[in-house]
Structure formats: structure tokens, C-alpha cells
């Protein structure tokens, strides 16, 4: 008996739809990033945290292996249309965030879909974002309150966006997007 493929046409189409919608948001986030870094660098973690959405929504709706990674890559390609110079950054972020989300799901053998699992991946991404961006914006040159706000927002940004993604995914599931 042959097993059914993980990424059926239906699954890929749902990933594509989610990827396009979240890719537009990612493109907008990319466009405002330079202004945020110059004017309010401590908010950059909140902007960057929006890039967790493709995988969170796809995993909440489809609950299958590889959907986070595929959806992130589609979103990155759409985001790249807004700022082609940042294509490598968009794709790198997609691969990193998607791999973290897939990794956490794989640890549970794609069987645990409670909100806690999504928030674990958000926390891992948030800590990683905080460390990487701390150096990218030279946050050490800012007052202590800015550094503290930055670190807190960088960790909490992906967590907040994960809550938004779960709400969207739950609504899509209720609307019948995940029906077989």
C-alpha cells in the first residue's frame, strides 16, 4: 500500500495562499525596517517578529510536516518583490524561522499541536532575534533603558505575532480551509 504524499496539491495551494498573504505583510515590514532602525531601534524586534506568521498559520491550519518551511519560502519570495535588495535576508529569515518551527514540531513528531508548542518556537526565535539584532543595530551604543526595552520587545515580538498567527489559523480552520 503506497502512502499518501505529505505535500499534496491541496496542501501546497493552502501554503501558497498563506505565503502570499504573509509575504505581503513581510514586504511591508521590510519597507519600514530602515525607518524603525533609525528612529526607534528598540522596536525592530517587533517588526522582525512578524516574520513568524507564515509558519505559525500554516502549521495551525494544516498540522503537517514541512508546511512551515514551504510557506515561509513562498512568503520570502513575495516579500522580495517589495525590496529585491533584501531577497537574501528574506530567504535567510524564512529558512531560519521555518527550520525552528519545523524542528519544534518534529521533536513532538508532529503530534502535539497545543498553543504551548507554537510559543516555544516563538521564544526560541525571539531570543535568537534579540542576540542577532543587538549586534546589527549596535544597541550597546544606546542608553540602558533602550537596551532593556529592545531585549524585551525582541523576545516578546515573535510571541505576540505567534498569538496573532494562531488566531488567524484557528479562524481559517473554522472557515473550512483545512477540510479534507
Amino acid at each position: 500500500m503506497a502512502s499518501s504524499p505529505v505535500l499534496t496539491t491541496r496542501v501546497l495551494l493552502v501554503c501558497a495562499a498563506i505565503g502570499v498573504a504573509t509575504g505581503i505583510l513581510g514586504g511591508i515590514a521590510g519597507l519600514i525596517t530602515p525607518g524603525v532602525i533609525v528612529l526607534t531601534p528598540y522596536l525592530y524586534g517587533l517588526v522582525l517578529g512578524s516574520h513568524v506568521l507564515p509558519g505559525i498559520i500554516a502549521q495551525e491550519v494544516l498540522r503537517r510536516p514541512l508546511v512551515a518551511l514551504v510557506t515561509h519560502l513562498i512568503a520570502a519570495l513575495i516579500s522580495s518583490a517589495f525590496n529585491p535588495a533584501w531577497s537574501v535576508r528574506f530567504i535567510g529569515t524564512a529558512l531560519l524561522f521555518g527550520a525552528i518551527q519545523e524542528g519544534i514540531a518534529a521533536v513532538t513528531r508532529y503530534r502535539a499541536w497545543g498553543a504551548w508548542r507554537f510559543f516555544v518556537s516563538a521564544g526560541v526565535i525571539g531570543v535568537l532575534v534579540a542576540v542577532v539584532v543587538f549586534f546589527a543595530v549596535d544597541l550597546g551604543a544606546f542608553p540602558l533603558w533602550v537596551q532593556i526595552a529592545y531585549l524585551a520587545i525582541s523576545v516578546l515580538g515573535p510571541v505576540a505575532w505567534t498569538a496573532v498567527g494562531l488566531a488567524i489559523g484557528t479562524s481559517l480552520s473554522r472557515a473550512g480551509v483545512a477540510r479534507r
Side-chain angles (χ1 to χ4, degrees), residues 30-85:
L31 289 174
I32 67 169
T33 290
V36 170
I37 289 174
V38 169
L39 299 173
T40 53
Y42 52 90
L43 293 179
Y44 182 52
L46 184 61
V47 174
L48 188 57
S50 68
H51 291 281
V52 303
L53 284 175
I56 297 297
I57 296 170
Q59 285 183 328
E60 176 65 12
V61 170
L62 297 166
R63 299 185 178 201
R64 290 178 176 249
L66 300 175
V67 297
L69 198 55
V70 168
T71 307
H72 270 289
L73 288 172
I74 293 167
L77 294 174
I78 298 301
S79 297
S80 295
F82 287 79
N83 190 346

Coordinates of all heavy atoms in Angstrom, one line a residue, residues 30-85:
G30 N 9.6 44.9 5.7 CA 10.9 45.2 5.2 C 11.0 46.6 4.7 O 12.1 47.2 4.9
L31 N 10.0 47.2 4.2 CA 10.0 48.6 3.8 C 10.1 49.5 5.0 O 10.8 50.6 4.8 CB 8.7 48.9 3.0 CG 8.6 48.3 1.6 CD1 7.3 48.6 1.0 CD2 9.8 48.8 0.7
I32 N 9.5 49.2 6.1 CA 9.6 50.2 7.2 C 10.8 49.9 8.1 O 11.1 50.7 9.0 CB 8.3 50.1 8.1 CG1 8.1 48.8 8.8 CG2 7.0 50.5 7.2 CD1 7.0 48.8 9.9
T33 N 11.5 48.8 7.9 CA 12.6 48.5 8.7 C 13.7 49.6 8.8 O 14.1 49.9 9.9 CB 13.3 47.1 8.3 OG1 12.3 46.1 8.6 CG2 14.6 46.9 9.0
P34 N 14.1 50.2 7.7 CA 15.2 51.2 7.8 C 14.7 52.4 8.7 O 15.5 52.9 9.6 CB 15.4 51.7 6.4 CG 15.0 50.5 5.6 CD 13.9 49.9 6.3
G35 N 13.5 52.8 8.6 CA 13.0 53.9 9.4 C 12.9 53.5 10.9 O 13.2 54.3 11.8
V36 N 12.5 52.2 11.2 CA 12.4 51.8 12.5 C 13.8 51.7 13.2 O 14.0 52.2 14.3 CB 11.7 50.4 12.6 CG1 11.8 49.8 14.0 CG2 10.2 50.5 12.2
I37 N 14.8 51.2 12.4 CA 16.1 51.1 12.9 C 16.7 52.5 13.2 O 17.4 52.7 14.2 CB 17.0 50.3 12.0 CG1 16.6 48.8 12.0 CG2 18.5 50.5 12.3 CD1 17.3 48.0 11.0
V38 N 16.4 53.5 12.4 CA 16.9 54.8 12.6 C 16.2 55.5 13.7 O 16.8 56.2 14.6 CB 16.9 55.6 11.3 CG1 17.2 57.1 11.6 CG2 17.9 55.1 10.3
L39 N 14.9 55.4 13.7 CA 14.1 56.2 14.7 C 13.8 55.6 16.0 O 13.9 56.2 17.1 CB 12.7 56.6 14.0 CG 12.8 57.5 12.8 CD1 11.4 57.6 12.1 CD2 13.4 58.8 13.1
T40 N 13.5 54.3 16.0 CA 13.2 53.5 17.2 C 13.8 52.1 17.1 O 13.0 51.1 17.0 CB 11.7 53.4 17.4 OG1 11.1 52.9 16.2 CG2 11.1 54.8 17.7
P41 N 15.1 52.0 17.2 CA 15.7 50.6 17.0 C 15.2 49.6 18.0 O 15.2 48.4 17.7 CB 17.2 50.9 17.2 CG 17.3 52.2 17.9 CD 16.1 53.0 17.6
Y42 N 14.7 50.0 19.2 CA 14.2 49.0 20.2 C 12.9 48.4 19.7 O 12.5 47.4 20.3 CB 14.0 49.7 21.5 CG 13.2 51.0 21.5 CD1 11.9 50.9 21.7 CD2 13.8 52.2 21.4 CE1 11.1 52.1 21.7 CE2 13.1 53.4 21.3 CZ 11.7 53.3 21.5 OH 11.0 54.4 21.5
L43 N 12.3 48.9 18.7 CA 11.0 48.3 18.2 C 11.3 47.3 17.0 O 10.4 46.7 16.5 CB 10.1 49.4 17.7 CG 9.5 50.3 18.8 CD1 8.5 51.3 18.1 CD2 8.7 49.4 19.8
Y44 N 12.6 47.2 16.6 CA 12.9 46.3 15.5 C 12.5 44.9 15.7 O 12.1 44.2 14.8 CB 14.4 46.5 15.1 CG 14.7 45.6 13.9 CD1 14.0 45.8 12.7 CD2 15.8 44.8 13.9 CE1 14.3 45.0 11.6 CE2 16.1 44.0 12.8 CZ 15.4 44.1 11.7 OH 15.7 43.4 10.6
G45 N 12.7 44.4 16.9 CA 12.3 43.0 17.2 C 10.8 42.8 17.0 O 10.4 41.7 16.6
L46 N 10.0 43.8 17.2 CA 8.5 43.7 16.9 C 8.3 43.6 15.4 O 7.5 42.7 15.0 CB 7.8 44.8 17.5 CG 6.3 44.8 17.4 CD1 5.7 43.6 18.2 CD2 5.7 46.1 18.0
V47 N 9.0 44.4 14.7 CA 8.9 44.3 13.2 C 9.4 43.0 12.7 O 8.7 42.3 11.9 CB 9.6 45.5 12.5 CG1 9.6 45.4 11.0 CG2 9.0 46.8 13.0
L48 N 10.5 42.6 13.1 CA 11.1 41.3 12.6 C 10.3 40.1 13.1 O 10.2 39.1 12.4 CB 12.6 41.2 13.1 CG 13.4 40.0 12.6 CD1 13.4 40.1 11.0 CD2 14.8 40.0 13.2
G49 N 9.7 40.2 14.2 CA 8.9 39.2 14.8 C 7.7 38.8 13.9 O 7.2 37.7 13.9
S50 N 7.2 39.7 13.0 CA 6.1 39.5 12.1 C 6.4 38.4 11.2 O 5.5 37.7 10.6 CB 5.7 40.7 11.4 OG 6.7 41.1 10.5
H51 N 7.7 38.1 11.0 CA 8.1 37.0 10.0 C 7.8 35.6 10.5 O 8.1 34.7 9.8 CB 9.6 37.2 9.6 CG 9.8 38.4 8.8 ND1 9.5 38.5 7.4 CD2 10.2 39.7 9.1 CE1 9.8 39.7 6.9 NE2 10.2 40.4 7.9
V52 N 7.3 35.5 11.7 CA 6.9 34.1 12.2 C 5.6 33.7 11.7 O 5.3 32.5 11.7 CB 6.9 34.0 13.8 CG1 8.2 34.4 14.4 CG2 5.8 34.8 14.4
L53 N 4.8 34.6 11.2 CA 3.4 34.3 10.8 C 3.3 33.2 9.7 O 2.4 32.4 9.9 CB 2.7 35.6 10.3 CG 2.3 36.6 11.3 CD1 1.7 37.9 10.7 CD2 1.3 36.0 12.2
P54 N 4.0 33.2 8.7 CA 3.8 32.1 7.6 C 3.7 30.7 8.2 O 2.8 30.0 8.0 CB 4.9 32.3 6.6 CG 5.4 33.7 6.8 CD 5.2 34.0 8.3
G55 N 4.8 30.4 9.0 CA 4.8 29.0 9.5 C 3.8 28.7 10.6 O 3.2 27.6 10.7
I56 N 3.5 29.7 11.4 CA 2.5 29.5 12.5 C 1.2 29.3 11.9 O 0.5 28.3 12.3 CB 2.5 30.8 13.5 CG1 3.8 31.0 14.2 CG2 1.4 30.7 14.5 CD1 4.3 29.8 15.1
I57 N 0.8 30.1 11.0 CA -0.6 30.0 10.4 C -0.6 28.6 9.6 O -1.6 27.9 9.8 CB -0.9 31.1 9.4 CG1 -1.0 32.4 10.3 CG2 -2.2 30.9 8.7 CD1 -1.1 33.7 9.4
A58 N 0.4 28.3 8.8 CA 0.4 27.1 8.1 C 0.3 25.8 9.0 O -0.5 24.9 8.7 CB 1.6 27.0 7.1
Q59 N 1.1 25.8 10.0 CA 1.1 24.7 10.9 C -0.2 24.6 11.7 O -0.7 23.5 11.9 CB 2.2 24.8 11.9 CG 3.6 24.4 11.3 CD 4.7 24.4 12.3 OE1 4.7 25.1 13.2 NE2 5.7 23.5 12.0
E60 N -0.8 25.7 12.1 CA -2.1 25.7 12.8 C -3.2 25.2 11.9 O -4.1 24.4 12.3 CB -2.4 27.1 13.4 CG -3.8 27.2 14.0 CD -3.9 26.3 15.3 OE1 -2.9 25.8 15.8 OE2 -5.1 26.2 15.7
V61 N -3.2 25.6 10.6 CA -4.2 25.2 9.7 C -4.0 23.7 9.2 O -5.0 22.9 9.2 CB -4.3 26.1 8.5 CG1 -5.2 25.6 7.4 CG2 -4.8 27.5 8.9
L62 N -2.8 23.4 8.8 CA -2.6 22.1 8.1 C -2.1 21.0 9.0 O -2.3 19.8 8.8 CB -1.6 22.3 7.0 CG -2.1 23.3 5.9 CD1 -1.0 23.7 5.0 CD2 -3.3 22.6 5.1
R63 N -1.3 21.3 10.1 CA -0.8 20.4 11.0 C -0.1 19.2 10.3 O -0.4 18.0 10.6 CB -1.9 19.9 12.0 CG -2.4 21.1 12.8 CD -3.4 20.7 13.8 NE -3.8 21.9 14.5 CZ -4.3 21.9 15.7 NH1 -4.5 20.8 16.3 NH2 -4.6 23.0 16.3
R64 N 0.9 19.5 9.5 CA 1.6 18.5 8.7 C 3.1 18.9 8.7 O 3.4 20.1 8.8 CB 1.1 18.5 7.3 CG -0.2 17.9 7.1 CD -0.6 17.9 5.7 NE -1.9 17.2 5.5 CZ -2.0 16.1 4.9 NH1 -1.0 15.5 4.3 NH2 -3.2 15.5 4.7
P65 N 4.0 18.0 8.4 CA 5.4 18.3 8.3 C 5.6 19.1 7.0 O 4.9 19.1 6.0 CB 6.0 16.9 8.1 CG 5.0 15.9 8.6 CD 3.7 16.5 8.4
L66 N 6.6 20.0 7.1 CA 7.2 20.8 6.1 C 6.4 22.0 5.7 O 6.8 22.8 4.9 CB 7.5 20.0 4.8 CG 8.5 18.8 5.0 CD1 8.6 18.0 3.7 CD2 9.8 19.4 5.5
V67 N 5.1 22.1 6.2 CA 4.3 23.3 5.8 C 4.8 24.6 6.2 O 4.7 25.6 5.5 CB 2.8 23.1 6.2 CG1 2.2 21.9 5.5 CG2 2.6 23.0 7.7
A68 N 5.5 24.7 7.4 CA 6.1 25.9 7.9 C 7.2 26.4 6.9 O 7.2 27.5 6.5 CB 6.6 25.8 9.3
L69 N 8.1 25.4 6.6 CA 9.2 25.8 5.7 C 8.7 26.2 4.3 O 9.2 27.2 3.8 CB 10.1 24.6 5.7 CG 11.5 24.8 5.2 CD1 12.2 25.9 6.0 CD2 12.4 23.6 5.3
V70 N 7.8 25.4 3.7 CA 7.3 25.8 2.4 C 6.7 27.1 2.4 O 6.9 28.0 1.5 CB 6.4 24.7 1.9 CG1 5.6 25.1 0.6 CG2 7.2 23.4 1.6
T71 N 5.8 27.4 3.4 CA 5.1 28.6 3.4 C 6.0 29.8 3.7 O 5.8 30.9 3.1 CB 4.0 28.6 4.5 OG1 3.2 27.4 4.3 CG2 3.1 29.8 4.5
H72 N 7.0 29.6 4.5 CA 8.0 30.7 4.8 C 8.7 31.0 3.5 O 9.0 32.2 3.2 CB 9.0 30.2 5.8 CG 8.6 30.6 7.2 ND1 8.6 31.9 7.7 CD2 8.2 29.8 8.3 CE1 8.3 31.9 9.0 NE2 8.0 30.6 9.3
L73 N 9.1 30.0 2.7 CA 9.8 30.3 1.5 C 9.0 31.0 0.5 O 9.5 32.0 -0.2 CB 10.4 29.0 0.9 CG 11.6 28.4 1.7 CD1 12.0 27.0 1.2 CD2 12.8 29.4 1.6
I74 N 7.7 30.7 0.4 CA 6.8 31.4 -0.5 C 6.7 32.8 -0.1 O 6.7 33.8 -0.9 CB 5.4 30.7 -0.6 CG1 5.6 29.3 -1.3 CG2 4.4 31.5 -1.3 CD1 4.4 28.4 -1.2
A75 N 6.5 33.0 1.2 CA 6.4 34.4 1.8 C 7.6 35.2 1.5 O 7.5 36.4 1.2 CB 6.1 34.3 3.3
A76 N 8.8 34.6 1.6 CA 10.0 35.3 1.4 C 10.1 35.7 -0.1 O 10.6 36.8 -0.4 CB 11.2 34.4 1.7
L77 N 9.7 34.9 -1.0 CA 9.7 35.3 -2.4 C 8.8 36.5 -2.7 O 9.1 37.4 -3.4 CB 9.3 34.1 -3.3 CG 10.3 33.0 -3.3 CD1 9.8 31.8 -4.1 CD2 11.7 33.4 -3.8
I78 N 7.6 36.5 -2.0 CA 6.7 37.6 -2.2 C 7.3 38.8 -1.5 O 7.2 39.9 -2.1 CB 5.3 37.2 -1.5 CG1 4.7 36.0 -2.2 CG2 4.4 38.4 -1.5 CD1 4.4 36.2 -3.7
S79 N 7.8 38.7 -0.3 CA 8.4 39.9 0.3 C 9.6 40.5 -0.5 O 9.8 41.7 -0.5 CB 9.0 39.5 1.7 OG 8.0 39.0 2.6
S80 N 10.3 39.6 -1.2 CA 11.4 40.1 -2.0 C 11.0 41.0 -3.2 O 11.7 41.8 -3.6 CB 12.2 38.8 -2.6 OG 12.8 38.1 -1.6
A81 N 9.7 40.8 -3.6 CA 9.2 41.7 -4.6 C 9.1 43.2 -4.2 O 9.2 44.1 -4.9 CB 7.8 41.2 -5.1
F82 N 8.9 43.4 -2.9 CA 8.9 44.7 -2.3 C 10.2 45.4 -2.2 O 10.4 46.6 -2.3 CB 8.3 44.7 -0.9 CG 6.8 44.4 -0.9 CD1 6.3 43.1 -1.0 CD2 5.9 45.4 -0.7 CE1 4.9 42.9 -1.0 CE2 4.5 45.2 -0.7 CZ 4.0 43.9 -0.8
N83 N 11.3 44.5 -1.9 CA 12.6 45.1 -1.8 C 13.6 44.0 -2.3 O 14.1 43.2 -1.4 CB 12.9 45.4 -0.3 CG 14.2 46.2 -0.2 OD1 15.0 46.2 -1.0 ND2 14.4 46.8 1.0
P84 N 13.8 43.9 -3.6 CA 14.7 42.9 -4.1 C 16.1 42.9 -3.5 O 16.7 41.8 -3.4 CB 14.7 43.2 -5.6 CG 13.5 44.0 -5.9 CD 13.2 44.7 -4.6
A85 N 16.6 44.0 -3.1 CA 17.9 44.0 -2.5 C 18.0 43.2 -1.2 O 19.1 42.8 -0.8 CB 18.3 45.5 -2.2

